[in-house]
Amino acid sequence: MTRPGLRELSAHLPRRTIVHTPHGGCGCTACGAGLREIGQDVSEVLDYEPGTCHVVRHVRPKLACAGCKTITQALAPSRPVDRCMAGGGLLTHIAVSKFADHVPLYRLCQIYGRDGVEMSRSTITDMIGNCALLLTPLAEAIGRHVLKADKVHGDDTPIRALGGKGEKAHTGRLWVYVRDDRPSGDKAPPAVWFQYSADRKGEHPARHLKNFSGILQADAYSGYNAIYKDGRILEAGCWSHARRKLWDIHVKQKRLPGTLAHEGLVRIGEVFKVEAEVNGRSALRRRRMRQARTAPVLKELKSWMNETLAQVSAKSPMALAIGYSLSNWTALTNFVNDGRIDAHNNTAERALRGVAIGRKNYLHVGSDAGGHTAAVMYTLLGTCRLNQINPQRYLRHVLERIADHPINRIDELLPWAVAAKWEDDADEKDTLLAA
């Protein structure tokens, strides 16, 4: 039996049983009499076998009729990418390794080379690019789902791209838009939509959000200003950004208590204490709790900021930090009267965390086209992460079907739709086994 207190290994894992019989066989080594089993001790060890490559041979016999000489042959099976030697499993492993596990392609070449499979980096790059083209309609469907929300979290991050003007590298931009209203009790599936641009001009978010009407939770980037003018989109600010400016000052002051920066952090901390309590509640409940508890805190905080601003130098870091909050006060306080809005934009920042880790490893994308490829892959894999779906299993499922899937039924391949189908299939299988 297993040792008490030892954490059990997951039941879904496949198991291989090895029976260890005594050296003497079925006879007693002491007297020679026969042995009978009176119990057994079982111990489990979690083992791992590295992924291996194998070749799938598709054989299509040609059959001829003895009478009319008609030749019959099965149609060639479709591939994820036409005339590509890689199957769905290999394409999935490459995509997940780079965009979820942050492994540069040259390292993947080395890993495959250890198993005797020689592939150049350019070959793998082409595979990823072709996959992105195939998956673009699915990424666009996720984008449409995101923009149907009442509120979207937005942010952007730089990414280095090669092949700019004069063949010089330039700084591109990955824009992220996240739909995740679980903090306000909404049951809609969360999703993230990435878009790439070669620069950071405000025309890009304006194009991305041209069909969106609702609340945009973002930082105070001036490129968003144009989309707020007609009232179609309401600006919601981020107290994490406002707090971070005070935190930077606090760190430079060696985190000494009693300073102006520390006092500001304590006051903003009261806002986040209320947010921790309202997280997951309904939008109506969140609004009521904020109006009762957060509104007085913010009123006192604004008075303190105005008083402090009159005491410090106009060009000091403290004045700039306070000035950020006061100049964006309306956007920063819109959340008090609308329970759908969060007090911060951490949802978008978390969505960009994988990009930040990835670019530390692969450093840059090969071109603007590579930036668009990254946007498609991050959209699919990021949405899988938000819905707690195994990206390896999901992406292989999609790649093995999407080439023949009707474009007008693309929503059937959305991550949460596929996960729901898996769950239904599992329940049906359990029912049949029980019967």
Side-chain angles (χ1 to χ4, degrees):
M1 61 182 179
T2 57
R3 291 161 49 192
L6 186 66
R7 183 176 178 180
E8 294 185 359
L9 299 175
S10 299
H12 75 277
L13 295 173
R15 279 163 166 75
R16 177 167 57 95
T17 301
I18 301 177
V19 179
H20 302 273
T21 57
H23 292 296
C26 296
C28 178
T29 56
C31 66
L35 300 174
R36 63 184 179 88
E37 184 174 326
I38 60 173
Q40 57 182 209
D41 292 331
V42 179
S43 62
E44 292 190 334
V45 176
L46 183 63
D47 207 350
Y48 174 76
E49 294 182 6
T52 57
C53 294
H54 63 274
V55 178
V56 178
R57 298 180 71 238
H58 295 281
V59 179
R60 297 184 298 131
K62 291 182 179 180
L63 306 177
C65 176
C68 65
K69 308 300 182 183
T70 300
I71 297 177
T72 304
Q73 187 179 33
L75 296 175
S78 63
R79 302 186 183 189
V81 179
D82 287 339
R83 296 184 297 278
C84 179
M85 67 176 183
L90 178 59
L91 293 173
T92 299
H93 184 259
I94 294 171
V96 172
S97 295
K98 177 167 183 177
F99 296 104
D101 300 329
H102 323 297
V103 181
L105 295 184
Y106 80 90
R107 291 186 197 164
L108 280 175
C109 292
Q110 295 172 351
I111 293 171
Y112 296 143
R114 289 198 295 264
D115 286 334
V117 179
E118 300 294 336
M119 287 192 291
S120 67
R121 187 168 55 182
S122 62
T123 298
I124 294 183
T125 300
D126 290 342
M127 291 179 181
I128 289 290
N130 288 327
C131 279
L133 289 174
L134 190 65
L135 296 170
T136 294
L138 186 55
E140 292 173 347
I142 291 176
R144 291 191 293 271
H145 171 77
V146 169
L147 298 183
K148 287 179 182 177
D150 293 330
K151 181 203 65 184
V152 168
H153 293 266
D155 205 350
D156 66 285
T157 191
I159 186 167
R160 187 175 173 83
L162 303 182
K165 291 183 179 180
E167 299 301 321
K168 292 183 179 179
H170 63 284
T171 301
R173 219 76 189 178
L174 275 173
W175 306 82
V176 66
Y177 304 96
V178 188
R179 176 179 183 174
D180 189 354
D181 292 322
R182 290 175 295 180
S184 59
D186 191 90
K187 301 299 183 182
V192 55
W193 183 45
F194 281 86
Q195 290 288 276
Y196 172 82
S197 66
D199 52 50
R200 203 194 183 196
K201 294 179 181 179
E203 65 190 47
H204 303 300
R207 184 179 69 256
H208 303 154
L209 301 174
K210 65 181 180 180
N211 296 322
F212 174 68
S213 178
I215 303 160
L216 175 63
Q217 187 121 32
D219 58 20
Y221 167 52
S222 60
Y224 294 127
N225 291 345
I227 66 177
Y228 301 135
K229 290 182 178 179
D230 60 2
R232 177 174 53 90
I233 297 177
L234 175 68
E235 179 184 9
C238 174
W239 274 106
S240 290
H241 276 79
R243 181 184 182 278
R244 191 173 302 135
K245 296 179 184 300
L246 292 174
W247 174 258
D248 292 340
I249 298 172
H250 187 50
V251 171
K252 290 181 180 178
Q253 295 175 343
K254 299 182 179 180
R255 305 185 185 183
L256 294 174
T259 63
L260 290 174
H262 179 254
E263 186 176 352
L265 290 172
V266 172
R267 292 174 181 272
I268 295 176
E270 295 299 318
V271 175
F272 281 91
K273 286 182 181 179
V274 178
E275 289 305 298
E277 294 183 31
V278 304
N279 186 49
R281 298 177 183 264
S282 69
L284 178 61
R285 181 62 175 163
R286 278 155 61 101
R287 181 173 65 84
R288 289 175 176 174
M289 293 181 69
R290 287 166 173 172
Q291 288 177 337
R293 298 174 55 187
T294 305
V297 172
L298 290 174
K299 182 178 179 180
E300 186 179 347
L301 175 61
K302 187 176 183 181
S303 298
W304 174 84
M305 285 185 169
N306 283 321
E307 293 172 3
T308 304
L309 193 60
Q311 300 173 11
V312 299
S313 172
K315 294 185 178 180
S316 65
M318 191 68 190
L320 295 175
I322 293 177
Y324 174 88
S325 295
L326 292 177
S327 61
N328 296 286
W329 192 257
T330 300
L332 286 170
T333 56
N334 277 333
F335 77 100
V336 176
N337 296 315
D338 192 333
R340 298 170 299 175
I341 305 176
D342 293 332
H344 51 75
N345 196 33
N346 294 350
T347 299
E349 295 192 3
R350 284 194 296 268
L352 289 174
R353 190 173 298 163
V355 179
I357 297 173
R359 68 184 173 214
K360 288 182 180 179
N361 290 276
Y362 57 70
L363 302 181
H364 56 255
V365 293
S367 63
D368 288 335
H372 292 292
T373 293
V376 171
M377 293 302 179
Y378 280 128
T379 294
L380 295 174
L381 300 180
T383 301
C384 283
R385 182 183 61 80
L386 285 176
N387 290 276
Q388 298 182 336
I389 296 172
N390 184 331
Q392 183 80 27
R393 182 185 180 190
Y394 168 73
L395 202 56
R396 179 163 189 167
H397 176 93
V398 170
L399 284 174
E400 289 177 345
R401 291 163 175 79
I402 194 169
D404 300 322
H405 195 83
I407 191 66
N408 60 348
R409 289 166 47 197
I410 195 68
D411 287 359
E412 295 176 2
L413 296 180
L414 291 170
W416 51 88
V418 172
K421 184 178 184 302
W422 288 340
E423 192 171 335
D424 291 343
D425 291 345
D427 290 343
E428 184 179 349
K429 182 178 180 181
D430 292 341
T431 302
L432 291 174
L433 290 176

